[in-house]
């Protein structure tokens, strides 16, 4: 009898265990299946998921619901609809490879509200809480390209550069920044003679044809820098087919076709390769760890590998495991290790910083009395490190000349102002993120991916801060109104309140601050990629890149006060949030 009861109990326990087994539903939003590197990322991701499912013996499987956005404008719109569908299905997790840093923000925030974990790879989503983020070390990839390109030209020679960029995602922006920071670190003179946009084959072909049209003569430029191979390969083909063998290309991704170009000396001289499959594998490992309540890291950077004629023999390919070659350390590595300035301690006791008086960055509160979050942070840094901070308020168009003439030791400026200039040093940590914000009444459905999205809307816009200025011509945008003068942010908000317009566009941080100041917190503001996005940076004269050790002092302040909550308190006064991608 006892044996029978024991047997029955075992059957019940087994049935209960069987009942506890649960399949996990995971929505995965891929970007493109025409950009070869992204195809390999998908292969790596699904390789790990399939292996996990095979080992689970039918229990706790991960069931993938796949979405593919595609390329161009239609792809951007499609991915918005896809994340809406994914959020509505309330899966156990969502995996995203964003096609834009801001267009998914609103829907990612909805997932946050519903406690749906977001696993993001390749590039991030602005102002959303990410459970984990995996990407390549894109800044280092650009840096390696810049160091190598510098080595190919005689010292003192100015090189003329054509840039093929893509401003919608963090990965490609960071590559451009690394490339030009590296050239500046070597004291290289350069001139950017052309800028084009491409990220996939069709746009790359279009950019290549336009470059040939703009630069029909040989030796009219020296270097082609492309942000990826997705568009870069098509550019190279157009140039090569027209006999432009004199050009040297630096690119990023590691596409096998680009590696062949290096082998056969077809324009490409360096390709900083991603380990694409490993990127996909790693985000899959994070998902599995989370679903099984195991520990995992929140952010993960996978190294890149600079392929040149000399190093290509060691590159294991996109499906290979990461190897990190010996390389020259980047500016980010060296912030805390810059050698002391030759100026005396007495001469460094006063640090002069130039920036433009725009609230909430720098707010004039009276003659010689300043506020604003940048001012508050710098004042804290000065107090802690025993030097005097001298703020010099300057119009934006006078910042660079003031630095060049040594009227100030540093300026604080958006990257868009200084990214392509040679005779300066961009240093220290980011002091903010800048984008064009869209202000609207809650409940209004907006999908702002480009200027075409604005064509049927009543818009008021103004250049109110550090954002890249929008160019909405009256002939093309008949319902758009540009305003100038004083208190433009206040006037735009009044127009929204009076329902004279559907949208107001301006500096995202200025709009957030103005909402607080006017107590109009019922309105909604979201970042957009309409004019790109920028970091606010500390910029130094090349002969005094570490005057007063200010870059390292600021870096140390952020390191301690992000964790301690002081930064959050400073920003809250101005209705702002930390721009660190894991602060949300």
């Amino acid at each position: 009898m006892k044996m029978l009861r024991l047997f029955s109990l075992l059957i019940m326990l087994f049935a209960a265990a069987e009942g506890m087994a649960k399949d996990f539903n995971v929505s995965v939003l891929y970007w493109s299946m025409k950009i070869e590197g992204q195809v390999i990322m998908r292969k790596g991701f699904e390789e790990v998921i399939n292996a996990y499912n095979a080992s689970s013996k039918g229990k706790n499987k991960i069931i993938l619901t796949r979405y593919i956005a595609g390329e161009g404008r239609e792809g951007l719109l499609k991915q918005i609809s896809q994340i809406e569908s994914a959020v509505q299905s309330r899966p156990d997790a969502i995996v995203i490879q964003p096609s834009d840093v801001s267009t998914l923000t609103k829907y990612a925030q909805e997932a946050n509200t519903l406690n749906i974990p977001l696993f993001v790879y390749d590039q991030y989503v602005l102002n959303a809480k990410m459970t984990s983020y995996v990407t390549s070390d894109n800044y280092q990839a650009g840096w390696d390209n810049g160091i190598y390109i510098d080595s190919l030209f005689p010292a003192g020679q100015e090189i003329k550069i054509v840039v093929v960029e893509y401003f919608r995602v963090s990965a490609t922006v960071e590559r451009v920044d690394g490339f030009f920071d590296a050239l500046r670190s070597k004291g290289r003179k350069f001139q950017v003679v052309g800028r084009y946009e491409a990220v996939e084959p069709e746009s790359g072909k279009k950019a290549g044809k336009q470059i040939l049209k703009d630069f029909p003569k040989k030796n009219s430029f020296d270097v082609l820098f492309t942000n990826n191979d997705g568009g870069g390969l098509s550019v190279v083909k157009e140039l090569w087919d027209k006999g432009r063998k004199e050009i040297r290309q630096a690119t990023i991704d590691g596409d096998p076709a680009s590696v062949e170009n290096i082998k056969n000396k077809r324009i490409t001289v360096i390709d900083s390769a991603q380990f694409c499959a490993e990127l996909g594998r790693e985000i899959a490992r994070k998902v599995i760890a989370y679903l099984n309540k195991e520990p995992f890291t929140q952010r993960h950077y996978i190294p890149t590998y600079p392929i040149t004629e000399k190093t290509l023999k060691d590159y294991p390919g996109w499906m290979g495991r990461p190897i990190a070659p010996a390389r020259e350390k980047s500016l980010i590595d060296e912030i805390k290790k810059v050698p002391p300035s030759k100026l005396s301690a007495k001469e460094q006791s006063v640090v002069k910083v130039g920036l433009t008086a725009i609230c909430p960055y720098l707010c004039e509160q009276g003659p010689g009395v300043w506020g604003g979050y940048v001012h508050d942070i710098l004042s804290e840094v000065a107090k802690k490190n025993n030097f005097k901070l001298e703020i010099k308020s300057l119009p934006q168009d006078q910042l660079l000349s003031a630095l060049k003439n040594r009227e100030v030791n540093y300026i604080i400026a958006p990257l868009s102002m200084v990214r392509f200039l040679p005779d300066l040093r961009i240093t220290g940590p980011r002091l903010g993120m800048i984008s064009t914000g869209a202000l609207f009444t809650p409940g209004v459905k907006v999908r702002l991916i480009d200027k075409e999205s604005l064509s049927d809307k009543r818009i008021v816009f103004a250049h109110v801060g550090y954002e890249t200025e929008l160019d909405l011509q009256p002939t093309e945008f008949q319902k758009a109104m540009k305003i100038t003068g004083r208190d433009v942010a206040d006037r735009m908000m009044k127009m929204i309140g009076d329902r004279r317009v559907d949208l107001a566009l301006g500096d995202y941080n200025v709009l957030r601050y103005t909402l607080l100041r006017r107590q109009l917190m019922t309105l909604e503001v979201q970042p957009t990629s309409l004019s790109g996005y920028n970091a606010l940076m500390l910029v130094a004269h090349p002969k005094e890149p570490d005057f007063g050790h200010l870059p390292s002092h600021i870096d140390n302040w952020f390191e301690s006060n992000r964790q301690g909550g002081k930064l959050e308190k400073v920003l809250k006064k101005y209705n702002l949030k930390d721009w660190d991608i894991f602060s949300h």
Side-chain angles (χ1 to χ4, degrees):
M1 190 70 175
K2 287 182 179 180
M3 290 295 293
L4 182 60
R5 287 177 182 172
L6 181 61
F7 183 72
S8 300
L9 180 62
L10 288 172
I11 290 174
M12 289 171 63
L13 289 172
F14 181 78
E18 282 290 298
M20 289 174 64
K22 176 184 182 295
D23 287 341
F24 298 113
N25 293 306
V26 174
S27 296
V28 53
L29 281 71
Y30 300 114
W31 175 0
S32 171
M33 291 299 105
K34 288 186 179 179
I35 300 173
E36 289 300 324
Q38 295 185 11
V39 175
I40 301 299
M41 290 176 198
R42 175 179 177 174
K43 283 184 179 179
F45 176 80
E46 296 193 7
E47 168 193 306
V48 171
I49 297 297
N50 290 338
Y52 169 80
N53 285 342
S55 68
S56 69
K57 298 179 181 179
K59 302 174 186 176
N60 295 3
K61 282 191 173 182
I62 295 175
I63 310 300
L64 297 180
T65 300
R66 300 169 179 83
Y67 301 87
I68 299 170
E71 304 72 40
R73 187 172 196 274
E74 290 305 312
L76 292 168
L77 287 168
K78 193 173 180 182
Q79 194 168 60
I80 293 172
S81 298
Q82 289 170 344
I83 193 171
E84 280 188 292
S85 297
V87 171
Q88 287 169 7
S89 71
R90 300 214 179 179
D92 296 294
I94 296 176
V95 179
I96 313 173
Q97 183 186 31
S99 56
D100 184 291
V101 295
S102 66
T103 55
L104 304 184
T105 294
K106 183 181 172 111
Y107 310 98
Q109 290 171 346
E110 289 178 8
N112 294 159
T113 301
L114 295 170
N115 294 318
I116 302 170
L118 296 177
F119 293 83
V120 183
Y121 73 96
D122 203 14
Q123 45 269 336
Y124 55 77
V125 179
L126 284 176
N127 295 359
K129 181 181 179 182
M130 295 179 287
T131 306
S132 189
Y133 171 56
V134 177
T135 189
S136 297
D137 193 344
N138 292 294
Y139 181 90
Q140 183 71 53
W143 176 276
D144 289 340
N145 280 8
I147 294 296
Y148 187 75
I149 286 295
D150 174 75
S151 72
L152 301 181
F153 293 88
Q157 178 180 334
E158 181 181 78
I159 57 177
K160 295 178 180 178
I161 304 171
V162 164
V163 181
V164 179
E165 56 190 324
Y166 187 72
F167 63 80
R168 291 185 174 276
V169 295
S170 54
T172 52
V173 172
E174 289 163 2
R175 295 168 185 179
V176 173
D177 291 340
F179 179 75
F180 285 99
D181 278 350
L183 292 179
R184 280 186 285 263
S185 77
K186 292 297 185 180
R188 172 63 61 183
K189 297 286 186 183
F190 62 83
Q191 182 183 358
V192 174
V193 295
R195 292 172 59 189
Y196 305 84
E197 183 178 327
V199 74
E200 38 75 30
E202 198 58 39
S203 58
K205 182 177 180 179
K206 182 179 176 181
K209 290 183 180 299
Q210 190 61 47
I211 290 168
L212 286 168
K213 184 177 179 180
D214 295 342
F215 300 94
K217 295 182 180 180
K218 286 191 174 183
N219 300 308
S220 50
F221 69 94
D222 307 299
V223 171
L224 168 70
F225 175 78
T226 57
N227 71 82
N228 77 339
D229 288 338
L233 280 165
S234 297
V235 177
V236 167
K237 185 178 186 308
E238 292 296 321
L239 298 177
W240 181 261
D241 288 349
K242 294 298 181 181
R244 299 298 294 273
K245 301 178 183 180
E246 83 283 6
I247 297 164
R248 293 166 175 173
Q249 184 215 19
T251 188
I252 293 165
D253 266 351
D255 190 296
S258 187
V259 176
E260 286 299 309
N261 284 342
I262 293 173
K263 285 181 183 177
N264 297 306
K265 301 186 185 328
R266 286 197 295 260
I267 296 180
T268 311
V269 294
I270 181 170
D271 190 329
S272 285
Q274 299 190 84
F275 292 93
C276 293
E278 188 65 16
L279 201 158
R281 292 182 191 120
E282 190 58 42
I283 197 66
R285 293 181 193 120
K286 309 293 188 198
V287 173
I288 291 167
Y290 171 84
L291 294 174
N292 288 281
K293 296 180 171 55
E294 296 169 354
F296 61 93
T297 54
Q298 236 189 343
R299 70 176 90 195
H300 190 106
Y301 293 96
I302 294 173
T304 55
Y305 186 89
I307 306 171
T308 65
E309 192 175 18
K310 290 182 179 179
T311 66
L312 63 82
K313 66 181 185 300
D314 298 319
Y315 174 55
W318 268 345
M319 294 299 294
R321 304 290 174 171
I323 52 174
R327 69 214 317 169
E328 192 164 331
K329 286 190 174 182
S330 72
L331 180 68
I332 289 176
D333 297 321
E334 295 294 330
I335 285 175
K336 295 186 175 71
K337 301 176 183 177
V338 177
S341 170
K342 294 180 181 178
L343 298 173
S344 69
K346 183 178 179 181
E347 289 173 307
Q348 294 190 55
S349 63
V350 178
V351 177
K352 300 177 182 178
V353 179
L355 67 159
T356 305
I358 303 169
C359 273
Y361 306 102
L362 178 68
C363 308
E364 189 169 6
Q365 299 176 340
V369 181
W370 301 104
Y373 85 85
V374 174
H375 168 268
D376 294 352
I377 290 169
L378 293 180
S379 296
E380 289 269 348
V381 171
K383 183 178 179 180
K384 182 177 180 180
N385 295 283
N386 300 312
F387 65 83
K388 182 182 177 183
L389 173 69
E390 191 173 306
I391 294 288
K392 187 165 185 178
S393 175
L394 297 164
Q396 286 190 53
D397 59 4
Q398 294 180 24
L399 288 171
L400 289 170
S401 61
L403 183 66
K404 181 180 179 181
N405 297 330
R406 314 283 276 277
E407 297 167 24
V408 292
N409 308 113
Y410 298 92
I411 60 171
I412 292 174
L415 265 173
S416 57
M417 181 186 293
V418 297
R419 179 176 278 126
F420 301 116
L421 300 178
D423 296 320
L424 46 80
R425 291 290 182 274
I426 299 169
T427 186
R430 291 174 174 176
L431 293 168
M433 292 299 293
I434 304 159
S435 65
T436 295
L439 181 75
F440 50 92
T441 304
V444 173
K445 198 167 185 177
V446 291
R447 292 186 173 184
L448 301 180
I449 61 170
D450 55 16
K451 289 182 181 179
E452 191 176 330
S453 309
L454 307 173
S455 60
D456 62 342
K457 292 179 174 60
R458 299 174 302 161
I459 301 162
V460 59
F461 69 102
H463 189 223
V464 295
Y466 283 120
E467 81 282 18
T468 303
E469 190 166 4
L470 281 170
D471 180 25
L472 303 179
Q473 294 297 326
T475 52
E476 189 177 356
F477 298 92
Q478 297 179 7
K479 296 180 181 180
M481 178 193 313
K482 182 177 182 179
I483 60 174
T484 57
R486 296 177 60 85
D487 303 321
V488 288
D490 297 76
R491 288 156 55 197
M492 288 197 296
M493 289 186 183
K494 188 175 188 309
M495 294 175 75
I496 287 278
D498 294 342
R499 301 190 180 277
R500 293 170 57 194
V501 293
D502 304 310
L503 286 173
L505 302 172
D507 183 300
Y508 174 72
N509 296 322
V510 174
L511 293 179
R512 281 191 65 98
Y513 170 69
T514 309
L515 283 177
L516 174 68
R517 185 171 54 78
R518 289 185 52 118
Q519 292 297 299
L520 292 170
M521 304 304 287
T522 54
L523 297 180
E524 186 173 345
V525 62
Q526 288 284 353
T528 77
S529 298
L530 289 171
S531 57
Y533 76 105
N534 282 293
L536 192 65
M537 298 298 295
L538 187 70
V539 184
H541 193 283
K543 293 184 178 178
E544 296 177 357
D546 189 44
F547 185 91
H549 304 296
L550 185 59
S552 53
H553 288 326
I554 294 175
D555 190 61
N556 291 335
W557 188 90
F558 275 114
E559 191 171 325
S560 62
N561 289 288
R562 268 201 169 103
Q563 295 176 355
K566 183 65 178 287
L567 176 61
E568 183 181 1
K569 289 179 181 177
V570 169
L571 295 175
K572 192 173 181 180
K573 287 166 51 181
Y574 303 95
N575 194 31
L576 302 179
K577 293 185 178 181
D578 189 357
W579 46 91
D580 181 82
I581 59 175
F582 282 103
S583 65
H584 300 280

